[in-house]
Amino acid sequence: MYNAACAATVALALGIPPSAVQRGVKEMPPVPGRMERIDVGQPFLAIVDFAHTPVSLERALTTLRPLVGRNGEGGRLIAIFGSAGLRDREKRYLMGRVSGQLADYTIITAEDPRTEDLEEICREIERGVREFAGPDRYVIIPDRSEAIQAGVEMARAGDVVAAFGKGHERSMCFGEIEYPWSDQEAMRAALQRCADRWQRESV
């Protein structure tokens, strides 16, 4: 949003007609991995976003909160994320605090653990989550594919399920090896596995 506003301001300063600026913003394609909606017809909102710091996670969850619920009632905000190994260790606890406070349910998982112990990374995030959320409001699922599947399976109409931290990235690092990975593909596959259930529930 900030980038679009900056571009629009520059365009107007250069004398480009406001109607052309408006049309350009309206027709701009979504940015991969930035509040990207994944839709296979499910009755809830599924999002992939790059938020991977405490501040960006806070902004993302705050942005998504008004989208929770149907007709202004019910719904949960389900956050799925991890924290990278060999990077900014102190942010793990802080991201946990943010999600524990702002999400209704947190699923802690892998995000480029590299050569660090994945379970230890998850425990550091958990420490922050537990400051605001009891054991009924979070779970640790180290396998990211399984974590996204769990988030989708627990979602109901009016919920928002969001996978944070990978966004546009197309690999995940375990040890010193980068393995192919896509949050978009994982989210879409998880949604498709549950499609039959939603069709039965809608009848």
Side-chain angles (χ1 to χ4, degrees):
M1 184 174 66
Y2 291 142
N3 289 341
C6 182
T9 301
V10 171
L12 293 171
L14 292 173
I16 295 174
S19 59
V21 175
Q22 185 180 35
R23 186 169 61 253
V25 171
K26 182 179 180 181
E27 296 176 358
M28 183 178 67
V31 179
R34 266 65 171 185
M35 285 294 168
E36 182 177 354
R37 296 185 181 210
I38 308 297
D39 191 351
V40 302
Q42 75 275 6
F44 56 85
L45 186 60
I47 295 289
V48 168
D49 188 71
F50 188 49
H52 63 289
T53 66
V55 172
S56 60
L57 182 62
E58 180 178 3
R59 288 177 178 167
L61 291 173
T62 302
T63 298
L64 290 172
R65 174 56 65 184
L67 304 179
V68 175
R70 193 165 56 171
N71 300 323
E73 297 181 1
R76 294 171 300 174
L77 179 51
I78 302 167
I80 306 164
F81 70 95
S83 190
L86 307 181
R87 302 284 191 280
D88 303 323
R89 184 166 185 164
E90 62 276 5
K91 80 175 185 179
R92 301 168 189 175
Y93 162 75
L94 297 174
M95 290 181 71
R97 290 185 86 250
V98 168
S99 190
Q101 187 173 19
L102 300 180
D104 296 303
Y105 197 86
T106 300
I107 301 177
I108 304 167
T109 190
E111 182 210 309
D112 298 305
R114 298 187 173 88
T115 56
E116 279 199 62
D117 182 80
L118 174 55
E119 292 187 4
E120 177 60 27
I121 294 173
C122 291
R123 284 192 293 269
E124 291 181 32
I125 298 171
E126 178 189 25
R127 189 165 58 89
V129 173
R130 290 179 63 177
E131 288 201 11
F132 294 96
D136 60 329
R137 287 186 47 210
Y138 77 89
V139 67
I140 296 175
I141 304 178
D143 184 288
R144 194 171 178 95
S145 180
E146 292 178 7
I148 290 174
Q149 186 70 51
V152 166
E153 288 181 357
M154 71 182 294
R156 294 295 181 267
D159 289 350
V160 175
V161 179
F164 298 108
K166 296 299 294 177
H168 62 287
E169 296 179 350
R170 289 296 173 264
S171 68
M172 186 154 46
C173 187
F174 288 86
E176 297 181 351
I177 300 174
E178 293 281 349
Y179 294 91
W181 176 262
S182 166
D183 265 8
Q184 290 87 342
E185 291 179 9
M187 183 71 79
R188 190 171 289 107
L191 291 167
Q192 289 171 341
R193 291 187 195 104
C194 295
D196 289 342
R197 187 195 82 200
W198 302 321
Q199 290 175 358
R200 288 194 303 270
E201 291 176 352
S202 64
V203 174

